[in-house]
Amino acid sequence: QVQLVQSGAEVKKPEASVKVSCEASGYTFTSYGISWVRQAPGQGLEWMGWISGYNGNRNYAKKFQGRVTMTTDTSTSTAYMELRSLRSDDTAVYFCARWELTTTSFDYWGQGTLVTVSS
Amino acid sequence: QSALTQPRSVSGSPGQSVTISCTGTTSDVGGYNFVSWYQHHPGKAPKLMIYDVSQRPSGVPDRFSGSKSGNTASLTISGLQAEDEADYYCCSYAGSYSVVFGGGTKLTVL
């Protein structure tokens, strides 16, 4: 069965960076994309960007351009999301989700990773 | 890209129907038939309920249905059940391999 397993919770200081991983199993990693979506406390879902599992092509939401980098390791079917220059309002649960390109929908999700930014 | 507009909350009694609207623009909802809906119970991962405006993934009850008219998409839940109480988010393709979510709607089953 399809599974996306994310790395554990992180606590970071302002201006630091965080890198969250998302290990996929149960499907052909290179046949789908991975998107990253976050939810700040009391807020809604926010799309951060997408990376192709096939060729590494990516597109980031304008809000995060310059601060985020998404990568993949096809040898381990793992996607990564690195966010730099962290601020307190980056405190959120970060989800990875499999992006079905033909429908542009997110059909499987990771369990979420809480990133807390605090001095 | 601005978030799609959803009502903050809706409610209904068991057995009733509720409809959640999702309003965007011609650059997203109105421009593509790629609207999806997600059910999100706090502390869990979101779950895909509807894709391509009105298609249900395998395993999603047919009590859930989706539609679209112009720049507004809708999710209707009929025969409300207690377990339907959750947050619901719409999402639309917005071109150039990007999507935009709605602000979310809290469904309360009375």
mmCIF file with all atom_site columns, all heavy atoms in Angstrom, chain A residues 29 32-36 49-60 70-72 79-80 99:
data_model
loop_
_atom_site.group_PDB
_atom_site.id
_atom_site.type_symbol
_atom_site.label_atom_id
_atom_site.label_alt_id
_atom_site.label_comp_id
_atom_site.label_asym_id
_atom_site.label_entity_id
_atom_site.label_seq_id
_atom_site.pdbx_PDB_ins_code
_atom_site.Cartn_x
_atom_site.Cartn_y
_atom_site.Cartn_z
_atom_site.occupancy
_atom_site.B_iso_or_equiv
_atom_site.pdbx_formal_charge
_atom_site.auth_seq_id
_atom_site.auth_comp_id
_atom_site.auth_asym_id
_atom_site.auth_atom_id
_atom_site.pdbx_PDB_model_num
ATOM 1   N N   . PHE A 1 29 ? 8.089  5.639  -7.462  1.00 0.00 ? 29 PHE A N   1
ATOM 2   C CA  . PHE A 1 29 ? 8.350  7.027  -7.045  1.00 0.00 ? 29 PHE A CA  1
ATOM 3   C C   . PHE A 1 29 ? 8.456  7.968  -8.234  1.00 0.00 ? 29 PHE A C   1
ATOM 4   O O   . PHE A 1 29 ? 7.986  9.097  -8.195  1.00 0.00 ? 29 PHE A O   1
ATOM 5   C CB  . PHE A 1 29 ? 9.643  7.050  -6.226  1.00 0.00 ? 29 PHE A CB  1
ATOM 6   C CG  . PHE A 1 29 ? 9.981  8.401  -5.644  1.00 0.00 ? 29 PHE A CG  1
ATOM 7   C CD1 . PHE A 1 29 ? 9.301  8.903  -4.549  1.00 0.00 ? 29 PHE A CD1 1
ATOM 8   C CD2 . PHE A 1 29 ? 11.009 9.166  -6.197  1.00 0.00 ? 29 PHE A CD2 1
ATOM 9   C CE1 . PHE A 1 29 ? 9.625  10.139 -4.008  1.00 0.00 ? 29 PHE A CE1 1
ATOM 10  C CE2 . PHE A 1 29 ? 11.335 10.395 -5.670  1.00 0.00 ? 29 PHE A CE2 1
ATOM 11  C CZ  . PHE A 1 29 ? 10.643 10.889 -4.566  1.00 0.00 ? 29 PHE A CZ  1
ATOM 12  N N   . TYR A 1 32 ? 5.233  9.873  -10.113 1.00 0.00 ? 32 TYR A N   1
ATOM 13  C CA  . TYR A 1 32 ? 4.397  10.900 -9.480  1.00 0.00 ? 32 TYR A CA  1
ATOM 14  C C   . TYR A 1 32 ? 5.269  12.048 -8.984  1.00 0.00 ? 32 TYR A C   1
ATOM 15  O O   . TYR A 1 32 ? 6.479  11.913 -8.826  1.00 0.00 ? 32 TYR A O   1
ATOM 16  C CB  . TYR A 1 32 ? 3.637  10.325 -8.281  1.00 0.00 ? 32 TYR A CB  1
ATOM 17  C CG  . TYR A 1 32 ? 2.616  9.278  -8.640  1.00 0.00 ? 32 TYR A CG  1
ATOM 18  C CD1 . TYR A 1 32 ? 3.008  7.953  -8.835  1.00 0.00 ? 32 TYR A CD1 1
ATOM 19  C CD2 . TYR A 1 32 ? 1.270  9.597  -8.790  1.00 0.00 ? 32 TYR A CD2 1
ATOM 20  C CE1 . TYR A 1 32 ? 2.085  6.989  -9.170  1.00 0.00 ? 32 TYR A CE1 1
ATOM 21  C CE2 . TYR A 1 32 ? 0.331  8.637  -9.114  1.00 0.00 ? 32 TYR A CE2 1
ATOM 22  C CZ  . TYR A 1 32 ? 0.750  7.338  -9.309  1.00 0.00 ? 32 TYR A CZ  1
ATOM 23  O OH  . TYR A 1 32 ? -0.165 6.380  -9.641  1.00 0.00 ? 32 TYR A OH  1
ATOM 24  N N   . GLY A 1 33 ? 4.594  13.156 -8.683  1.00 0.00 ? 33 GLY A N   1
ATOM 25  C CA  . GLY A 1 33 ? 5.267  14.264 -8.025  1.00 0.00 ? 33 GLY A CA  1
ATOM 26  C C   . GLY A 1 33 ? 5.010  14.236 -6.534  1.00 0.00 ? 33 GLY A C   1
ATOM 27  O O   . GLY A 1 33 ? 4.178  13.463 -6.036  1.00 0.00 ? 33 GLY A O   1
ATOM 28  N N   . ILE A 1 34 ? 5.750  15.049 -5.824  1.00 0.00 ? 34 ILE A N   1
ATOM 29  C CA  . ILE A 1 34 ? 5.534  15.248 -4.393  1.00 0.00 ? 34 ILE A CA  1
ATOM 30  C C   . ILE A 1 34 ? 5.342  16.738 -4.162  1.00 0.00 ? 34 ILE A C   1
ATOM 31  O O   . ILE A 1 34 ? 6.128  17.570 -4.640  1.00 0.00 ? 34 ILE A O   1
ATOM 32  C CB  . ILE A 1 34 ? 6.731  14.766 -3.556  1.00 0.00 ? 34 ILE A CB  1
ATOM 33  C CG1 . ILE A 1 34 ? 6.859  13.232 -3.607  1.00 0.00 ? 34 ILE A CG1 1
ATOM 34  C CG2 . ILE A 1 34 ? 6.594  15.242 -2.093  1.00 0.00 ? 34 ILE A CG2 1
ATOM 35  C CD1 . ILE A 1 34 ? 5.842  12.469 -2.784  1.00 0.00 ? 34 ILE A CD1 1
ATOM 36  N N   . SER A 1 35 ? 4.284  17.081 -3.468  1.00 0.00 ? 35 SER A N   1
ATOM 37  C CA  . SER A 1 35 ? 4.068  18.472 -3.054  1.00 0.00 ? 35 SER A CA  1
ATOM 38  C C   . SER A 1 35 ? 4.258  18.587 -1.549  1.00 0.00 ? 35 SER A C   1
ATOM 39  O O   . SER A 1 35 ? 4.134  17.601 -0.824  1.00 0.00 ? 35 SER A O   1
ATOM 40  C CB  . SER A 1 35 ? 2.642  18.927 -3.408  1.00 0.00 ? 35 SER A CB  1
ATOM 41  O OG  . SER A 1 35 ? 2.595  19.641 -4.613  1.00 0.00 ? 35 SER A OG  1
ATOM 42  N N   . TRP A 1 36 ? 4.555  19.784 -1.121  1.00 0.00 ? 36 TRP A N   1
ATOM 43  C CA  . TRP A 1 36 ? 4.649  20.095 0.305   1.00 0.00 ? 36 TRP A CA  1
ATOM 44  C C   . TRP A 1 36 ? 3.580  21.121 0.650   1.00 0.00 ? 36 TRP A C   1
ATOM 45  O O   . TRP A 1 36 ? 3.403  22.131 -0.066  1.00 0.00 ? 36 TRP A O   1
ATOM 46  C CB  . TRP A 1 36 ? 6.044  20.606 0.645   1.00 0.00 ? 36 TRP A CB  1
ATOM 47  C CG  . TRP A 1 36 ? 7.080  19.528 0.527   1.00 0.00 ? 36 TRP A CG  1
ATOM 48  C CD1 . TRP A 1 36 ? 7.784  19.170 -0.594  1.00 0.00 ? 36 TRP A CD1 1
ATOM 49  C CD2 . TRP A 1 36 ? 7.514  18.634 1.572   1.00 0.00 ? 36 TRP A CD2 1
ATOM 50  N NE1 . TRP A 1 36 ? 8.622  18.131 -0.310  1.00 0.00 ? 36 TRP A NE1 1
ATOM 51  C CE2 . TRP A 1 36 ? 8.479  17.787 1.001   1.00 0.00 ? 36 TRP A CE2 1
ATOM 52  C CE3 . TRP A 1 36 ? 7.186  18.479 2.924   1.00 0.00 ? 36 TRP A CE3 1
ATOM 53  C CZ2 . TRP A 1 36 ? 9.125  16.782 1.741   1.00 0.00 ? 36 TRP A CZ2 1
ATOM 54  C CZ3 . TRP A 1 36 ? 7.833  17.494 3.659   1.00 0.00 ? 36 TRP A CZ3 1
ATOM 55  C CH2 . TRP A 1 36 ? 8.782  16.669 3.073   1.00 0.00 ? 36 TRP A CH2 1
ATOM 56  N N   . GLY A 1 49 ? 4.845  24.088 -2.743  1.00 0.00 ? 49 GLY A N   1
ATOM 57  C CA  . GLY A 1 49 ? 5.524  23.815 -4.000  1.00 0.00 ? 49 GLY A CA  1
ATOM 58  C C   . GLY A 1 49 ? 5.449  22.347 -4.356  1.00 0.00 ? 49 GLY A C   1
ATOM 59  O O   . GLY A 1 49 ? 4.857  21.533 -3.645  1.00 0.00 ? 49 GLY A O   1
ATOM 60  N N   . TRP A 1 50 ? 6.090  22.017 -5.470  1.00 0.00 ? 50 TRP A N   1
ATOM 61  C CA  . TRP A 1 50 ? 5.994  20.671 -6.056  1.00 0.00 ? 50 TRP A CA  1
ATOM 62  C C   . TRP A 1 50 ? 7.322  20.290 -6.688  1.00 0.00 ? 50 TRP A C   1
ATOM 63  O O   . TRP A 1 50 ? 8.062  21.165 -7.175  1.00 0.00 ? 50 TRP A O   1
ATOM 64  C CB  . TRP A 1 50 ? 4.911  20.699 -7.129  1.00 0.00 ? 50 TRP A CB  1
ATOM 65  C CG  . TRP A 1 50 ? 4.970  19.607 -8.134  1.00 0.00 ? 50 TRP A CG  1
ATOM 66  C CD1 . TRP A 1 50 ? 4.472  18.350 -8.002  1.00 0.00 ? 50 TRP A CD1 1
ATOM 67  C CD2 . TRP A 1 50 ? 5.547  19.660 -9.449  1.00 0.00 ? 50 TRP A CD2 1
ATOM 68  N NE1 . TRP A 1 50 ? 4.699  17.628 -9.159  1.00 0.00 ? 50 TRP A NE1 1
ATOM 69  C CE2 . TRP A 1 50 ? 5.365  18.406 -10.057 1.00 0.00 ? 50 TRP A CE2 1
ATOM 70  C CE3 . TRP A 1 50 ? 6.206  20.659 -10.178 1.00 0.00 ? 50 TRP A CE3 1
ATOM 71  C CZ2 . TRP A 1 50 ? 5.809  18.127 -11.345 1.00 0.00 ? 50 TRP A CZ2 1
ATOM 72  C CZ3 . TRP A 1 50 ? 6.641  20.378 -11.464 1.00 0.00 ? 50 TRP A CZ3 1
ATOM 73  C CH2 . TRP A 1 50 ? 6.448  19.128 -12.034 1.00 0.00 ? 50 TRP A CH2 1
ATOM 74  N N   . ILE A 1 51 ? 7.645  19.009 -6.637  1.00 0.00 ? 51 ILE A N   1
ATOM 75  C CA  . ILE A 1 51 ? 8.805  18.508 -7.340  1.00 0.00 ? 51 ILE A CA  1
ATOM 76  C C   . ILE A 1 51 ? 8.437  17.216 -8.040  1.00 0.00 ? 51 ILE A C   1
ATOM 77  O O   . ILE A 1 51 ? 7.707  16.380 -7.484  1.00 0.00 ? 51 ILE A O   1
ATOM 78  C CB  . ILE A 1 51 ? 10.013 18.317 -6.395  1.00 0.00 ? 51 ILE A CB  1
ATOM 79  C CG1 . ILE A 1 51 ? 11.250 17.883 -7.184  1.00 0.00 ? 51 ILE A CG1 1
ATOM 80  C CG2 . ILE A 1 51 ? 9.697  17.343 -5.260  1.00 0.00 ? 51 ILE A CG2 1
ATOM 81  C CD1 . ILE A 1 51 ? 12.547 17.995 -6.404  1.00 0.00 ? 51 ILE A CD1 1
ATOM 82  N N   . SER A 1 52 ? 8.905  17.058 -9.246  1.00 0.00 ? 52 SER A N   1
ATOM 83  C CA  . SER A 1 52 ? 8.663  15.831 -10.003 1.00 0.00 ? 52 SER A CA  1
ATOM 84  C C   . SER A 1 52 ? 9.559  14.709 -9.490  1.00 0.00 ? 52 SER A C   1
ATOM 85  O O   . SER A 1 52 ? 10.761 14.892 -9.316  1.00 0.00 ? 52 SER A O   1
ATOM 86  C CB  . SER A 1 52 ? 8.948  16.087 -11.484 1.00 0.00 ? 52 SER A CB  1
ATOM 87  O OG  . SER A 1 52 ? 9.026  14.865 -12.186 1.00 0.00 ? 52 SER A OG  1
ATOM 88  N N   . GLY A 1 53 ? 8.976  13.549 -9.274  1.00 0.00 ? 53 GLY A N   1
ATOM 89  C CA  . GLY A 1 53 ? 9.766  12.388 -8.905  1.00 0.00 ? 53 GLY A CA  1
ATOM 90  C C   . GLY A 1 53 ? 10.498 11.813 -10.106 1.00 0.00 ? 53 GLY A C   1
ATOM 91  O O   . GLY A 1 53 ? 11.422 11.009 -9.955  1.00 0.00 ? 53 GLY A O   1
ATOM 92  N N   . TYR A 1 54 ? 10.124 12.243 -11.291 1.00 0.00 ? 54 TYR A N   1
ATOM 93  C CA  . TYR A 1 54 ? 10.701 11.702 -12.530 1.00 0.00 ? 54 TYR A CA  1
ATOM 94  C C   . TYR A 1 54 ? 12.002 12.406 -12.905 1.00 0.00 ? 54 TYR A C   1
ATOM 95  O O   . TYR A 1 54 ? 13.031 11.774 -13.120 1.00 0.00 ? 54 TYR A O   1
ATOM 96  C CB  . TYR A 1 54 ? 9.684  11.826 -13.649 1.00 0.00 ? 54 TYR A CB  1
ATOM 97  C CG  . TYR A 1 54 ? 10.213 11.440 -15.013 1.00 0.00 ? 54 TYR A CG  1
ATOM 98  C CD1 . TYR A 1 54 ? 10.569 10.122 -15.277 1.00 0.00 ? 54 TYR A CD1 1
ATOM 99  C CD2 . TYR A 1 54 ? 10.348 12.382 -16.026 1.00 0.00 ? 54 TYR A CD2 1
ATOM 100 C CE1 . TYR A 1 54 ? 11.063 9.749  -16.520 1.00 0.00 ? 54 TYR A CE1 1
ATOM 101 C CE2 . TYR A 1 54 ? 10.840 12.023 -17.267 1.00 0.00 ? 54 TYR A CE2 1
ATOM 102 C CZ  . TYR A 1 54 ? 11.189 10.709 -17.518 1.00 0.00 ? 54 TYR A CZ  1
ATOM 103 O OH  . TYR A 1 54 ? 11.684 10.349 -18.739 1.00 0.00 ? 54 TYR A OH  1
ATOM 104 N N   . ASN A 1 55 ? 11.927 13.763 -12.954 1.00 0.00 ? 55 ASN A N   1
ATOM 105 C CA  . ASN A 1 55 ? 13.108 14.480 -13.459 1.00 0.00 ? 55 ASN A CA  1
ATOM 106 C C   . ASN A 1 55 ? 13.559 15.622 -12.555 1.00 0.00 ? 55 ASN A C   1
ATOM 107 O O   . ASN A 1 55 ? 14.452 16.379 -12.922 1.00 0.00 ? 55 ASN A O   1
ATOM 108 C CB  . ASN A 1 55 ? 12.852 15.015 -14.864 1.00 0.00 ? 55 ASN A CB  1
ATOM 109 C CG  . ASN A 1 55 ? 11.639 15.920 -14.918 1.00 0.00 ? 55 ASN A CG  1
ATOM 110 O OD1 . ASN A 1 55 ? 11.135 16.359 -13.885 1.00 0.00 ? 55 ASN A OD1 1
ATOM 111 N ND2 . ASN A 1 55 ? 11.146 16.198 -16.124 1.00 0.00 ? 55 ASN A ND2 1
ATOM 112 N N   . GLY A 1 56 ? 12.936 15.774 -11.395 1.00 0.00 ? 56 GLY A N   1
ATOM 113 C CA  . GLY A 1 56 ? 13.342 16.819 -10.465 1.00 0.00 ? 56 GLY A CA  1
ATOM 114 C C   . GLY A 1 56 ? 12.844 18.210 -10.809 1.00 0.00 ? 56 GLY A C   1
ATOM 115 O O   . GLY A 1 56 ? 13.175 19.180 -10.107 1.00 0.00 ? 56 GLY A O   1
ATOM 116 N N   . ASN A 1 57 ? 12.063 18.341 -11.885 1.00 0.00 ? 57 ASN A N   1
ATOM 117 C CA  . ASN A 1 57 ? 11.470 19.655 -12.171 1.00 0.00 ? 57 ASN A CA  1
ATOM 118 C C   . ASN A 1 57 ? 10.662 20.102 -10.959 1.00 0.00 ? 57 ASN A C   1
ATOM 119 O O   . ASN A 1 57 ? 10.047 19.283 -10.270 1.00 0.00 ? 57 ASN A O   1
ATOM 120 C CB  . ASN A 1 57 ? 10.555 19.587 -13.396 1.00 0.00 ? 57 ASN A CB  1
ATOM 121 C CG  . ASN A 1 57 ? 11.333 19.552 -14.695 1.00 0.00 ? 57 ASN A CG  1
ATOM 122 O OD1 . ASN A 1 57 ? 12.547 19.718 -14.707 1.00 0.00 ? 57 ASN A OD1 1
ATOM 123 N ND2 . ASN A 1 57 ? 10.628 19.325 -15.789 1.00 0.00 ? 57 ASN A ND2 1
ATOM 124 N N   . ARG A 1 58 ? 10.674 21.390 -10.706 1.00 0.00 ? 58 ARG A N   1
ATOM 125 C CA  . ARG A 1 58 ? 9.978  21.878 -9.517  1.00 0.00 ? 58 ARG A CA  1
ATOM 126 C C   . ARG A 1 58 ? 9.348  23.230 -9.759  1.00 0.00 ? 58 ARG A C   1
ATOM 127 O O   . ARG A 1 58 ? 9.724  23.946 -10.686 1.00 0.00 ? 58 ARG A O   1
ATOM 128 C CB  . ARG A 1 58 ? 10.955 21.932 -8.335  1.00 0.00 ? 58 ARG A CB  1
ATOM 129 C CG  . ARG A 1 58 ? 12.053 22.963 -8.480  1.00 0.00 ? 58 ARG A CG  1
ATOM 130 C CD  . ARG A 1 58 ? 13.305 22.585 -7.737  1.00 0.00 ? 58 ARG A CD  1
ATOM 131 N NE  . ARG A 1 58 ? 14.054 21.541 -8.433  1.00 0.00 ? 58 ARG A NE  1
ATOM 132 C CZ  . ARG A 1 58 ? 15.175 21.007 -7.980  1.00 0.00 ? 58 ARG A CZ  1
ATOM 133 N NH1 . ARG A 1 58 ? 15.661 21.388 -6.822  1.00 0.00 ? 58 ARG A NH1 1
ATOM 134 N NH2 . ARG A 1 58 ? 15.809 20.081 -8.670  1.00 0.00 ? 58 ARG A NH2 1
ATOM 135 N N   . ASN A 1 59 ? 8.389  23.565 -8.935  1.00 0.00 ? 59 ASN A N   1
ATOM 136 C CA  . ASN A 1 59 ? 7.769  24.883 -8.949  1.00 0.00 ? 59 ASN A CA  1
ATOM 137 C C   . ASN A 1 59 ? 7.413  25.242 -7.521  1.00 0.00 ? 59 ASN A C   1
ATOM 138 O O   . ASN A 1 59 ? 6.770  24.455 -6.823  1.00 0.00 ? 59 ASN A O   1
ATOM 139 C CB  . ASN A 1 59 ? 6.501  24.898 -9.822  1.00 0.00 ? 59 ASN A CB  1
ATOM 140 C CG  . ASN A 1 59 ? 5.930  26.295 -9.974  1.00 0.00 ? 59 ASN A CG  1
ATOM 141 O OD1 . ASN A 1 59 ? 6.680  27.255 -10.117 1.00 0.00 ? 59 ASN A OD1 1
ATOM 142 N ND2 . ASN A 1 59 ? 4.623  26.420 -9.920  1.00 0.00 ? 59 ASN A ND2 1
ATOM 143 N N   . TYR A 1 60 ? 7.864  26.400 -7.091  1.00 0.00 ? 60 TYR A N   1
ATOM 144 C CA  . TYR A 1 60 ? 7.598  26.847 -5.728  1.00 0.00 ? 60 TYR A CA  1
ATOM 145 C C   . TYR A 1 60 ? 6.552  27.946 -5.718  1.00 0.00 ? 60 TYR A C   1
ATOM 146 O O   . TYR A 1 60 ? 6.504  28.790 -6.624  1.00 0.00 ? 60 TYR A O   1
ATOM 147 C CB  . TYR A 1 60 ? 8.882  27.374 -5.075  1.00 0.00 ? 60 TYR A CB  1
ATOM 148 C CG  . TYR A 1 60 ? 10.041 26.403 -5.052  1.00 0.00 ? 60 TYR A CG  1
ATOM 149 C CD1 . TYR A 1 60 ? 11.351 26.853 -5.266  1.00 0.00 ? 60 TYR A CD1 1
ATOM 150 C CD2 . TYR A 1 60 ? 9.854  25.051 -4.809  1.00 0.00 ? 60 TYR A CD2 1
ATOM 151 C CE1 . TYR A 1 60 ? 12.420 25.984 -5.223  1.00 0.00 ? 60 TYR A CE1 1
ATOM 152 C CE2 . TYR A 1 60 ? 10.917 24.172 -4.779  1.00 0.00 ? 60 TYR A CE2 1
ATOM 153 C CZ  . TYR A 1 60 ? 12.196 24.645 -5.000  1.00 0.00 ? 60 TYR A CZ  1
ATOM 154 O OH  . TYR A 1 60 ? 13.263 23.770 -4.970  1.00 0.00 ? 60 TYR A OH  1
ATOM 155 N N   . MET A 1 70 ? 13.330 22.118 -2.698  1.00 0.00 ? 70 MET A N   1
ATOM 156 C CA  . MET A 1 70 ? 12.783 20.754 -2.682  1.00 0.00 ? 70 MET A CA  1
ATOM 157 C C   . MET A 1 70 ? 13.675 19.878 -3.552  1.00 0.00 ? 70 MET A C   1
ATOM 158 O O   . MET A 1 70 ? 14.041 20.273 -4.665  1.00 0.00 ? 70 MET A O   1
ATOM 159 C CB  . MET A 1 70 ? 11.352 20.760 -3.207  1.00 0.00 ? 70 MET A CB  1
ATOM 160 C CG  . MET A 1 70 ? 10.413 21.549 -2.320  1.00 0.00 ? 70 MET A CG  1
ATOM 161 S SD  . MET A 1 70 ? 8.733  21.640 -2.946  1.00 0.00 ? 70 MET A SD  1
ATOM 162 C CE  . MET A 1 70 ? 8.028  22.813 -1.778  1.00 0.00 ? 70 MET A CE  1
ATOM 163 N N   . THR A 1 71 ? 14.006 18.713 -3.035  1.00 0.00 ? 71 THR A N   1
ATOM 164 C CA  . THR A 1 71 ? 14.860 17.775 -3.750  1.00 0.00 ? 71 THR A CA  1
ATOM 165 C C   . THR A 1 71 ? 14.302 16.369 -3.597  1.00 0.00 ? 71 THR A C   1
ATOM 166 O O   . THR A 1 71 ? 13.415 16.121 -2.776  1.00 0.00 ? 71 THR A O   1
ATOM 167 C CB  . THR A 1 71 ? 16.300 17.809 -3.208  1.00 0.00 ? 71 THR A CB  1
ATOM 168 O OG1 . THR A 1 71 ? 16.266 17.532 -1.792  1.00 0.00 ? 71 THR A OG1 1
ATOM 169 C CG2 . THR A 1 71 ? 16.958 19.161 -3.441  1.00 0.00 ? 71 THR A CG2 1
ATOM 170 N N   . THR A 1 72 ? 14.821 15.466 -4.424  1.00 0.00 ? 72 THR A N   1
ATOM 171 C CA  . THR A 1 72 ? 14.455 14.058 -4.303  1.00 0.00 ? 72 THR A CA  1
ATOM 172 C C   . THR A 1 72 ? 15.698 13.196 -4.411  1.00 0.00 ? 72 THR A C   1
ATOM 173 O O   . THR A 1 72 ? 16.713 13.610 -4.995  1.00 0.00 ? 72 THR A O   1
ATOM 174 C CB  . THR A 1 72 ? 13.466 13.624 -5.403  1.00 0.00 ? 72 THR A CB  1
ATOM 175 O OG1 . THR A 1 72 ? 14.077 13.833 -6.680  1.00 0.00 ? 72 THR A OG1 1
ATOM 176 C CG2 . THR A 1 72 ? 12.157 14.384 -5.329  1.00 0.00 ? 72 THR A CG2 1
ATOM 177 N N   . ALA A 1 79 ? 11.765 12.286 -0.712  1.00 0.00 ? 79 ALA A N   1
ATOM 178 C CA  . ALA A 1 79 ? 11.705 13.704 -1.058  1.00 0.00 ? 79 ALA A CA  1
ATOM 179 C C   . ALA A 1 79 ? 12.103 14.520 0.165   1.00 0.00 ? 79 ALA A C   1
ATOM 180 O O   . ALA A 1 79 ? 11.884 14.091 1.311   1.00 0.00 ? 79 ALA A O   1
ATOM 181 C CB  . ALA A 1 79 ? 10.309 14.091 -1.513  1.00 0.00 ? 79 ALA A CB  1
ATOM 182 N N   . TYR A 1 80 ? 12.711 15.665 -0.101  1.00 0.00 ? 80 TYR A N   1
ATOM 183 C CA  . TYR A 1 80 ? 13.157 16.539 0.974   1.00 0.00 ? 80 TYR A CA  1
ATOM 184 C C   . TYR A 1 80 ? 12.652 17.954 0.731   1.00 0.00 ? 80 TYR A C   1
ATOM 185 O O   . TYR A 1 80 ? 12.548 18.406 -0.409  1.00 0.00 ? 80 TYR A O   1
ATOM 186 C CB  . TYR A 1 80 ? 14.688 16.580 1.045   1.00 0.00 ? 80 TYR A CB  1
ATOM 187 C CG  . TYR A 1 80 ? 15.330 15.244 1.312   1.00 0.00 ? 80 TYR A CG  1
ATOM 188 C CD1 . TYR A 1 80 ? 15.700 14.411 0.257   1.00 0.00 ? 80 TYR A CD1 1
ATOM 189 C CD2 . TYR A 1 80 ? 15.573 14.812 2.616   1.00 0.00 ? 80 TYR A CD2 1
ATOM 190 C CE1 . TYR A 1 80 ? 16.285 13.183 0.496   1.00 0.00 ? 80 TYR A CE1 1
ATOM 191 C CE2 . TYR A 1 80 ? 16.165 13.581 2.867   1.00 0.00 ? 80 TYR A CE2 1
ATOM 192 C CZ  . TYR A 1 80 ? 16.517 12.774 1.793   1.00 0.00 ? 80 TYR A CZ  1
ATOM 193 O OH  . TYR A 1 80 ? 17.093 11.550 2.034   1.00 0.00 ? 80 TYR A OH  1
ATOM 194 N N   . TRP A 1 99 ? 1.468  13.923 -5.551  1.00 0.00 ? 99 TRP A N   1
ATOM 195 C CA  . TRP A 1 99 ? 0.697  14.738 -6.480  1.00 0.00 ? 99 TRP A CA  1
ATOM 196 C C   . TRP A 1 99 ? 0.442  13.959 -7.749  1.00 0.00 ? 99 TRP A C   1
ATOM 197 O O   . TRP A 1 99 ? 1.381  13.623 -8.482  1.00 0.00 ? 99 TRP A O   1
ATOM 198 C CB  . TRP A 1 99 ? 1.423  16.044 -6.799  1.00 0.00 ? 99 TRP A CB  1
ATOM 199 C CG  . TRP A 1 99 ? 0.521  17.078 -7.397  1.00 0.00 ? 99 TRP A CG  1
ATOM 200 C CD1 . TRP A 1 99 ? -0.846 17.044 -7.437  1.00 0.00 ? 99 TRP A CD1 1
ATOM 201 C CD2 . TRP A 1 99 ? 0.893  18.286 -8.036  1.00 0.00 ? 99 TRP A CD2 1
ATOM 202 N NE1 . TRP A 1 99 ? -1.328 18.165 -8.047  1.00 0.00 ? 99 TRP A NE1 1
ATOM 203 C CE2 . TRP A 1 99 ? -0.298 18.954 -8.423  1.00 0.00 ? 99 TRP A CE2 1
ATOM 204 C CE3 . TRP A 1 99 ? 2.110  18.901 -8.312  1.00 0.00 ? 99 TRP A CE3 1
ATOM 205 C CZ2 . TRP A 1 99 ? -0.298 20.186 -9.071  1.00 0.00 ? 99 TRP A CZ2 1
ATOM 206 C CZ3 . TRP A 1 99 ? 2.109  20.135 -8.958  1.00 0.00 ? 99 TRP A CZ3 1
ATOM 207 C CH2 . TRP A 1 99 ? 0.927  20.762 -9.335  1.00 0.00 ? 99 TRP A CH2 1
#
